[in-house]
Amino acid sequence: MSDTKLKSQIPDGPLSEKWKKRKAEIKVVSPANKRKLEVIVVGTGLAGASAAASLGEMGYNVKIFCISDSPRRAHSIAAQGGINAAKNYQNDNDSIYRLFVDTVKGGDFRSREANVYRLAEVSNLIIDHCVAQGVPFAREYGGLLANRSFGGAQVSRTFYARGQTGQQLLLGAYASLNKEIKKGSVKSYPRYEMLDLVLINGQAKGIIARNIATGEIERFGAHAVVIATGGYGNVYFLSTNAMNSNGSAAWQCYKKGAYFGNPCFAQIHPTCIPVHGTQQSKLTLMSESLRNDGRIWVPKKKEDVMKLRKGEIKASQIPEEDRDYYLERRYPAFGNLVPRDIASRAAKERCDAGFGVNETGKAVFLDFKTAIERLGEDTIRERYGNLFQMYEEITDVDAYKEPMMIYPAIHYTMGGLWVDYDLQTTIPGLFAIGEANFSDHGGNRLGASALMQGLADGYFILPYTIGGYLANKIQEPKTDTSAPEFEQAEKAVKERIAKLFAVKGKKSPDEIHKELGNVMWEYVGMGRTEEGLKKAIVEIKRLKEEFWKDVYVCGENGEFNQELEKAMRLADFFEIGELMARDALNRKESCGGHFREEMQTEEGEAKRDDENFMYVSAWEYKGENTEPELHKEPLVYEGIKVATRNYKD
Amino acid sequence: MKFKIKVWRQKNAKTKGHFETYTVDNISPDSSFLEMLDILNDQLVHQNSDPIAFSKGCENGEVCSGEKLKRAKAEGKALPVSFDHDCREGICGACSLYINGRAHGPENEVTTCQLFMRKFKDGSTITIEPWRSAAFPVVKDLVVDRSALDKIMQAGGFVDVRTGSAQDANSILISKEKADESMDAASCIGCGACVATCKNGSAMLFIGARVSSLALLPQGKIESTKRAMDMIAKMDELGFGACTNTRACEMECPKRVSITHIARLNREFLKGWLKK
């Protein structure tokens, strides 16, 4: 079973001692040597910005790249609800162990135990540091930090800054980054897109990037490269990801030899604003925190559904006894706060059964009536005012009077570059952090854990572990970007771009991307079957072929060209989508966000197959028209009893 | 819905720009403003990829051919319109646009990406310009270079604290009122609407938001005077104007950051100036 290249490097010893042990083992680089070492960080979200800032503070020379005009635009900024930590400030018997258990269980036993435990361990440091940075977390009247509850937990451990927690944490990391830029330890490259990874002697030594403002292709060298470019959810076209979010940087690493872990694990978030029509460009998330006070329901009677769809009645006119609060009915212990994958599937189940409440039949209600009666409108306004305002802007509905309509949408990808305990990929010197790696969330991520993981990796884990690699590089001179490897990589990038312009077909990149999105949502979405996945692979290949025959890329390379950016990212999305379908086809079990319809219990719950699938699938690229090779990292759980997830009692 | 879109076209910072008018049709009232621009761009891509369709679209939707067609292509009229956008949830601050003479369009307290077509009159002409300010040179069409805002932040918009050196988060109490007010200021998204709106092209609301947010908290208070001095010095250096209290910035701020934060900034600045 053990794979020669897949060494997870988990330290020996009891779970709670592993991180301590590794930290003690890691070689330290002296300040004089740190000054000589260079690190490239790609991406300026929570993971990238915090890593670059911390590495800069330690004395390394850092170059940080982002595709936006400013590091502060990274999509971490849109995270609304909060960040988890095991502080136990609410005295509800929370602990590092409990956060660890909830996260492993929430991930349906498909994450790496040792990484998750470490995540829970450093979670408390994150809150301390962010407060010190001046992040204005919500406070109680006595001046202490406030908390709220999130899905998949029975304690209140989520710290928040209104509905803008991601923004505030990112501004904190961005501020620390700015501090280091001022000191000169970090150099920032905004509007740069990484287009290839450069290897010398099998080690990551630099990147090829395109200056988005001018179109120039440039080379950058370093002693190590860190990928912090987020997830690949935009493969579905419609998702809650930002328009520019893409999987290309990670994908280039995969094509250069880094294994890709669990690509089929994508999170579908239950509370998004439903699709309004074909002109839609993206989906908007309504924070999970709304499930603290909102109750999810559909009518019990089909005739009420029909009347709602025709606009003959309003939701508020349906009496209590005719409402089906289906999450409270099916999962009494957790109710509306079940994990995201479960809430999403339950919504799909009701809509598929014909109870969807809008014209398209793809929406359920999220209702604040009970909460408003209990707490008053002012309290609700204080807690969620900005979300209600955003909802009204988009839908023209006042959610204080009528319930919100929501439906699941693609939100996050748990899969990503395979990394070992040190967050290093299978390419020496190439590290992956935050959403870009696969390690901490297994089959499903709990709410308020993405921010936690991004900052844990960036502030407290990578800056230490990368030292272990760099300690062996102190004799190495600066990477020479005139080396033939750089030359070759740059040439390949330029050829790829020229090839795109040369197609001169009829369709815009967006048009083909929408078609890809439809295939992905239909066959690699909330419910997956063997037949559907096989079909998806054929369809994706067909679309990829069509793309290379019929896309039209306007303008030219040597200028600001958003059409070219879209086309380049889309070219990779076909390949990412195909690998997702392949991975989903291989994983003949249901777990977390991956639901194989053939594998369910009588009650329609996910049926895991621990005997055959308790492993991380790590895919190795084998060339353009060759099938990738599957490697397996077995998952072993020592600190927690493996069990079927139960949110009922 | 149908609209005439009068939009600023400019190849790059070195060339002169001009307005170009296009027609878009069959726009859903539920579409966002940026989705309407996506549709316009898709139309323009097709006019390029399909020359017959293009010949109908090159001049206000009229048919043109020969020299006229060649010229239209050379002038880049048919290329998609470049505009900054990313989260489309009103939080990243990437989208900008001066729409019918107002930053982020006719609605109050929303960003351009949260503006919906139902707010416009069917059949009307919509004028779209980039942020106009000396400190924000045009990159292309509606895209401007706002890196001056990053430079101001780099001058002092942070608390000088090293990772891993903080004490327990609850060891310093902060009153709810102070934390809330700090959060009000911290909701600035850095879009630059205040600068684009200000007749002096001042960034005082942007700086005020940051300085005030940190000055209200014990963690940020220690450096607040120096922070104010450094950020204002950088603002002056980068060619932004001064504040003359017209309050236009506050009116057009999509997050309604209040000018009381400019007052707090001025207090901090004055303290530093008097010390000098």
Side-chain angles (χ1 to χ4, degrees):
Chain A
M1 190 84 175
S2 76
D3 202 291
T4 48
K5 244 192 169 175
L6 279 182
K7 291 202 181 85
S8 57
Q9 313 277 11
I10 300 168
D12 306 328
L15 204 48
S16 59
E17 297 300 312
K18 286 183 192 293
W19 180 226
K20 245 180 258 167
K21 186 162 184 281
R22 173 52 46 88
K23 279 194 287 185
E25 288 165 359
I26 293 171
K27 278 203 220 165
V28 177
V29 184
S30 77
N33 283 328
K34 278 183 185 141
R35 278 197 290 275
K36 291 189 230 153
L37 294 166
E38 293 185 302
V39 181
I40 282 174
V41 178
V42 188
T44 62
L46 286 181
S50 59
S54 301
L55 290 168
E57 286 168 5
M58 294 164 97
Y60 293 108
N61 289 295
V62 183
K63 298 184 187 108
I64 188 163
F65 296 81
C66 87
I67 53 175
S68 309
D69 68 329
S70 163
R72 67 180 294 161
R73 315 271 185 235
H75 197 50
S76 304
I77 204 146
Q80 298 167 352
I83 177 165
N84 288 329
K87 283 283 194 186
N88 191 33
Y89 283 163
Q90 301 303 318
N91 195 28
D92 47 11
N93 195 12
D94 196 12
S95 63
I96 287 169
Y97 184 73
R98 196 177 294 279
L99 173 55
F100 155 74
V101 167
D102 286 348
T103 308
V104 171
K105 184 182 163 196
D108 217 355
F109 297 89
R110 291 294 174 267
S111 49
R112 190 190 288 143
E113 182 189 55
N115 289 49
V116 178
Y117 194 88
R118 174 177 63 187
L119 174 67
E121 257 181 304
V122 303
S123 68
N124 292 340
L125 297 175
I126 299 171
I127 304 303
D128 298 343
H129 182 53
C130 293
V131 166
Q133 284 174 327
V135 170
F137 282 118
R139 299 260 166 186
E140 292 165 359
Y141 281 102
L144 296 168
L145 288 157
N147 290 112
R148 59 185 169 206
S149 306
F150 250 60
Q154 288 164 310
V155 294
S156 285
R157 62 160 74 98
T158 305
F159 294 79
Y160 62 100
R162 293 197 190 136
Q164 290 134 271
T165 318
Q167 178 196 28
Q168 294 311 311
L169 296 176
L170 185 64
L171 292 181
Y174 164 73
S176 289
L177 185 67
N178 286 333
K179 165 174 73 71
E180 293 307 307
I181 291 171
K182 186 181 187 182
K183 284 185 187 152
S185 61
V186 178
K187 188 160 169 31
S188 171
Y189 293 87
R191 286 205 207 272
Y192 270 80
E193 180 155 18
M194 169 180 161
L195 296 182
D196 209 352
L197 175 75
V198 183
L199 304 186
I200 296 180
N201 294 330
Q203 298 175 353
K205 289 289 178 189
I207 64 168
I208 305 293
R210 179 172 179 272
N211 179 333
I212 287 177
T214 65
E216 215 171 313
I217 308 294
E218 299 176 38
R219 308 172 188 184
F220 298 93
H223 292 88
V225 177
V226 180
I227 300 295
T229 50
Y232 44 90
N234 266 343
V235 65
Y236 292 83
F237 187 74
L238 285 182
S239 82
T240 65
N241 286 6
M243 301 301 284
N244 292 324
S245 301
N246 68 83
S248 288
W251 197 248
Q252 299 314 321
C253 296
Y254 167 73
K255 289 177 104 170
K256 282 281 163 93
Y259 292 4
F260 210 95
N262 293 336
C264 81
F265 287 159
Q267 176 161 81
I268 295 169
H269 198 294
T271 53
C272 301
I273 298 179
V275 176
H276 69 68
T278 52
Q279 297 183 352
Q280 191 140 2
S281 60
K282 78 154 281 182
L283 297 170
T284 302
L285 177 77
M286 288 281 107
S287 169
E288 177 158 307
S289 62
L290 292 168
R291 287 200 271 145
N292 266 298
D293 290 308
R295 298 175 71 195
I296 295 175
W297 64 278
V298 292
K300 278 182 187 164
K301 296 184 194 154
K302 282 258 169 79
E303 62 251 41
D304 284 343
V305 172
M306 290 308 147
K307 282 183 196 157
L308 281 167
R309 288 185 187 175
K310 285 182 199 144
E312 289 169 11
I313 53 167
K314 286 186 167 171
S316 54
Q317 292 167 306
I318 297 175
E320 245 350 90
E321 62 270 21
D322 291 337
R323 298 176 176 199
D324 176 14
Y325 295 96
Y326 58 86
L327 287 177
E328 295 170 31
R329 167 169 61 79
R330 287 178 66 182
Y331 308 99
F334 280 69
N336 293 295
L337 282 174
V338 289
R340 291 173 176 175
D341 56 328
I342 290 176
S344 290
R345 267 200 299 281
K348 181 178 189 284
E349 188 275 331
R350 280 296 81 194
C351 291
D352 288 351
F355 292 93
V357 295
N358 69 353
E359 289 161 0
T360 62
K362 287 185 173 155
V364 299
F365 289 127
L366 176 63
D367 201 332
F368 293 85
K369 182 171 152 264
T370 318
I372 289 172
E373 281 164 9
R374 178 164 49 95
L375 302 162
E377 199 174 305
D378 286 344
T379 306
I380 296 299
R381 196 179 298 277
E382 161 139 2
R383 283 186 191 168
Y384 314 109
N386 63 325
L387 298 171
F388 276 58
Q389 186 201 350
M390 183 157 93
Y391 185 81
E392 187 169 357
E393 280 303 329
I394 296 173
T395 62
D396 224 9
V397 172
D398 178 358
Y400 295 102
K401 297 198 173 72
E402 287 295 321
M404 290 181 179
M405 280 195 218
I406 52 162
Y407 197 68
I410 292 289
H411 181 55
Y412 185 91
T413 47
M414 282 74 69
L417 290 171
W418 185 91
V419 289
D420 63 13
Y421 188 73
D422 290 341
L423 307 180
Q424 187 167 215
T425 68
T426 48
I427 296 176
L430 179 71
F431 294 77
I433 57 176
E435 191 181 351
N437 75 26
F438 86 98
S439 71
D440 292 0
H441 306 297
N444 173 59
R445 179 176 64 73
L446 290 183
S449 285
L451 303 185
M452 174 172 67
Q453 188 222 341
L455 291 180
D457 287 0
Y459 282 134
F460 296 108
I461 300 169
L462 175 97
Y464 285 9
T465 59
I466 202 172
Y469 177 80
L470 292 171
N472 298 317
K473 301 283 159 201
I474 52 176
Q475 307 278 11
E476 268 184 30
K478 279 192 177 179
T479 297
D480 176 15
T481 55
S482 61
E485 288 86 349
F486 275 91
E487 193 124 342
Q488 223 171 359
E490 184 185 309
K491 195 167 153 254
V493 163
K494 284 182 172 163
E495 280 169 6
R496 186 152 31 112
I497 292 172
K499 201 176 148 196
L500 281 168
F501 281 114
V503 178
K504 289 202 185 302
K506 286 221 156 70
K507 287 185 166 173
S508 70
D510 272 355
E511 251 179 309
I512 309 178
H513 196 168
K514 278 183 193 175
E515 289 182 55
L516 173 66
N518 288 338
V519 171
M520 291 301 294
W521 182 244
E522 185 66 27
Y523 303 114
V524 200
M526 269 194 284
R528 303 161 175 188
T529 62
E530 179 165 345
E531 195 196 340
L533 290 165
K534 283 183 175 157
K535 196 165 171 194
I537 293 172
V538 174
E539 282 292 296
I540 295 166
K541 279 188 175 156
R542 183 186 64 76
L543 284 170
K544 183 181 163 183
E545 223 166 276
E546 186 186 320
F547 171 81
W548 285 104
K549 268 191 205 137
D550 204 23
V551 74
Y552 188 91
V553 185
C554 283
E556 49 202 281
N557 176 46
E559 60 176 354
F560 186 93
N561 188 339
Q562 291 169 316
E563 289 296 306
L564 174 63
E565 292 165 34
K566 284 187 204 170
M568 283 193 288
R569 294 165 191 169
L570 178 57
D572 293 330
F573 277 139
F574 295 113
E575 300 178 8
I576 296 172
E578 190 187 324
L579 190 69
M580 290 173 77
R582 205 175 278 284
D583 187 41
L585 187 61
N586 169 69
R587 196 170 277 280
K588 290 191 196 76
E589 65 161 349
S590 294
C591 68
H594 170 64
F595 193 71
R596 282 286 296 263
E597 285 174 9
E598 307 94 326
M599 300 293 290
Q600 52 181 308
T601 64
E602 275 169 30
E603 294 114 35
E605 303 295 340
K607 205 161 130 193
R608 264 188 1 235
D609 179 354
D610 290 342
E611 203 163 310
N612 295 305
F613 292 98
M614 196 122 104
Y615 63 76
V616 177
S617 42
W619 296 88
E620 181 186 6
Y621 183 68
K622 287 285 180 186
E624 182 70 37
N625 290 312
T626 318
E627 288 201 4
E629 186 184 340
L630 174 64
H631 301 265
K632 297 171 182 177
E633 179 199 343
L635 291 168
V636 182
Y637 294 94
E638 289 167 354
I640 175 172
K641 195 171 163 286
V642 177
T644 303
R645 284 198 301 178
N646 176 5
Y647 294 99
K648 292 175 196 283
D649 45 47
Chain B
M1 300 174 93
K2 187 174 176 176
F3 301 97
K4 276 213 157 144
I5 307 297
K6 192 177 159 199
V7 61
W8 185 257
R9 306 299 315 253
Q10 187 171 340
K11 201 167 161 49
N12 53 46
K14 291 174 198 126
T15 54
K16 266 175 92 176
H18 64 280
F19 280 106
E20 201 66 60
T21 308
Y22 305 93
T23 308
V24 287
D25 206 349
N26 294 320
I27 302 291
S28 156
D30 288 331
S31 281
S32 74
F33 193 82
L34 296 184
E35 282 164 359
M36 182 276 292
L37 283 181
D38 291 340
I39 291 162
L40 169 64
N41 277 347
D42 213 51
Q43 207 169 298
L44 290 170
V45 173
H46 283 104
Q47 287 177 356
N48 273 276
S49 65
D50 190 348
I52 299 162
F54 175 67
S55 79
K56 280 185 220 151
C58 69
E59 204 102 321
N60 295 339
E62 291 154 25
V63 182
C64 63
S65 57
E67 274 308 300
K68 213 171 167 189
L69 174 63
K70 239 179 165 175
R71 204 180 57 233
K73 273 198 153 180
E75 283 169 1
K77 270 183 196 173
L79 288 177
V81 181
S82 299
F83 60 97
D84 263 326
H85 63 103
D86 199 15
C87 78
R88 298 203 178 187
E89 290 181 22
I91 192 76
C92 76
C95 67
S96 49
L97 306 190
Y98 233 66
I99 301 163
N100 290 343
R102 285 187 65 184
H104 293 300
E107 292 287 296
N108 289 331
E109 292 181 59
V110 294
T111 54
T112 295
C113 66
Q114 295 294 293
L115 181 62
F116 287 80
M117 295 315 292
R118 68 177 89 90
K119 307 285 184 183
F120 292 88
K121 215 176 131 223
D122 194 8
S124 61
T125 300
I126 302 172
T127 307
I128 313 172
E129 298 166 79
W131 277 175
R132 294 205 188 280
S133 176
F136 296 160
V138 171
V139 175
K140 188 178 180 183
D141 297 336
L142 303 169
V143 176
V144 297
D145 179 357
R146 286 171 285 190
S147 55
L149 296 180
D150 279 337
K151 291 192 180 110
I152 291 175
M153 283 296 205
Q154 287 157 16
F158 47 78
V159 176
D160 200 347
V161 56
R162 198 180 307 108
T163 309
S165 52
Q167 72 278 62
D168 183 82
N170 256 348
S171 61
I172 300 174
L173 300 180
I174 300 175
S175 77
K176 187 175 183 305
E177 292 76 16
K178 283 264 161 69
D180 283 349
E181 202 184 345
S182 173
M183 181 61 218
D184 288 340
S187 48
C188 165
I189 57 172
C191 64
C194 49
V195 178
T197 300
C198 176
K199 69 184 173 74
N200 308 317
S202 173
M204 283 295 272
L205 189 64
F206 173 78
I207 300 174
R210 189 64 184 152
V211 167
S212 179
S213 172
L214 292 176
L216 281 158
L217 303 172
Q219 291 84 358
K221 206 163 178 53
I222 299 157
E223 298 165 90
S224 63
T225 303
K226 183 175 178 338
R227 180 179 301 121
M229 304 280 290
D230 288 350
M231 290 176 84
I232 287 180
K234 184 54 91 176
M235 174 182 94
D236 291 343
E237 180 195 318
L238 294 170
F240 290 92
C243 174
T244 49
N245 287 310
T246 67
R247 304 187 70 169
C249 53
E250 180 187 71
M251 282 303 295
E252 296 294 24
C253 173
K255 301 295 162 185
R256 271 293 154 89
V257 173
S258 155
I259 60 155
T260 56
H261 300 298
I262 297 183
R264 189 170 285 108
L265 166 65
N266 285 334
R267 277 204 296 283
E268 294 297 336
F269 180 80
L270 209 60
K271 272 194 253 170
W273 188 75
L274 288 171
K275 258 191 229 163
K276 261 189 177 173

